[in-house]
Amino acid sequence: MDRMKTLFKYAIWVILFFIFSELMINLNLETTYRDIGRKDNESQVTVYQAQATKINGRIKGTIQNSTENKITKKYLKIDLYSERDIFLGSKYIDLIDIKENETKDFEIYFKVQDVDYYEIKFTDEKEQGELPEMLKDLTKEQVILGTLLTFLIFW
């Protein structure tokens, strides 16, 4: 019986250490993001989160296609620039399926070094040299499910 209690204590300590280390890793990763600037006047696009680390970044926002400012272009182009105004790359959002008086949420993830600001434009064509797709952030439910599945595998 004492052996089972000792084994149970060790299992609890391992689980607690795993949870603590995951929290500290995620906290550290989130604190490395800093806000980046925007240099355009597109009123149809509202950005509520634009952040970058030394290596990668994310831009999240909404696009509103109102009757006063109807969007007639096919793509939303996001150009990324460095501190010294060097063009680093572009990302595109497809606007073909957006209807009049509709709001569309968007999330862009990029892996580019030293991004300082971005510009948003509407365009009809994609140009060559678009940045490759990156994985999106996991939701809390996906993280919990993945953790539970990992525990089941190692249990």
Side-chain angles (χ1 to χ4, degrees):
M1 190 68 173
D2 287 337
R3 221 175 209 185
M4 288 299 288
K5 285 183 183 179
T6 305
L7 183 63
F8 182 69
K9 286 179 186 177
Y10 287 146
I12 293 294
W13 280 109
V14 168
I15 292 169
L16 288 175
F17 178 74
F18 176 76
I19 292 171
F20 175 74
S21 64
E22 282 295 313
L23 287 173
M24 294 307 289
I25 289 168
N26 288 330
L27 181 66
N28 187 26
L29 288 175
E30 286 299 317
T31 58
T32 59
Y33 280 96
R34 61 175 172 72
D35 291 337
I36 57 176
R38 178 176 174 181
K39 293 190 178 180
D40 65 73
N41 294 326
E42 292 294 342
S43 61
Q44 294 105 328
V45 181
T46 305
V47 174
Y48 55 85
Q49 183 181 36
Q51 297 176 324
T53 64
K54 198 75 168 152
I55 307 257
N56 56 19
R58 59 189 172 204
I59 298 174
K60 298 178 183 180
T62 57
I63 304 166
Q64 186 173 14
N65 190 10
S66 62
T67 52
E68 303 89 41
N69 293 332
K70 189 173 180 182
I71 299 172
T72 58
K73 307 284 184 174
K74 295 180 184 176
Y75 299 102
L76 179 69
K77 179 181 178 184
I78 301 175
D79 292 330
L80 305 170
Y81 294 93
S82 73
E83 185 178 343
R84 295 185 177 107
D85 299 328
I86 298 171
F87 175 70
L88 301 172
S90 296
K91 294 291 278 184
Y92 292 89
I93 299 172
D94 191 13
L95 299 176
I96 294 173
D97 58 345
I98 191 167
K99 296 175 181 60
E100 193 172 327
N101 290 328
E102 184 180 2
T103 302
K104 179 179 180 177
D105 294 330
F106 70 90
E107 293 181 0
I108 296 292
Y109 296 89
F110 53 88
K111 187 169 186 161
V112 178
Q113 290 185 353
D114 299 325
V115 174
D116 189 56
Y117 68 94
Y118 63 96
E119 287 184 352
I120 295 177
K121 304 176 203 172
F122 291 101
T123 183
D124 281 324
E125 298 178 357
K126 281 188 178 182
E127 296 174 9
Q128 291 183 353
E130 180 181 8
L131 297 171
E133 288 292 319
M134 284 197 50
L135 297 175
K136 296 184 175 18
D137 288 342
L138 295 176
T139 63
K140 289 181 182 179
E141 292 83 17
Q142 291 171 331
V143 171
I144 291 170
L145 181 63
T147 304
L148 290 175
L149 289 175
T150 304
F151 279 135
L152 286 175
I153 290 171
F154 290 112
W155 192 261

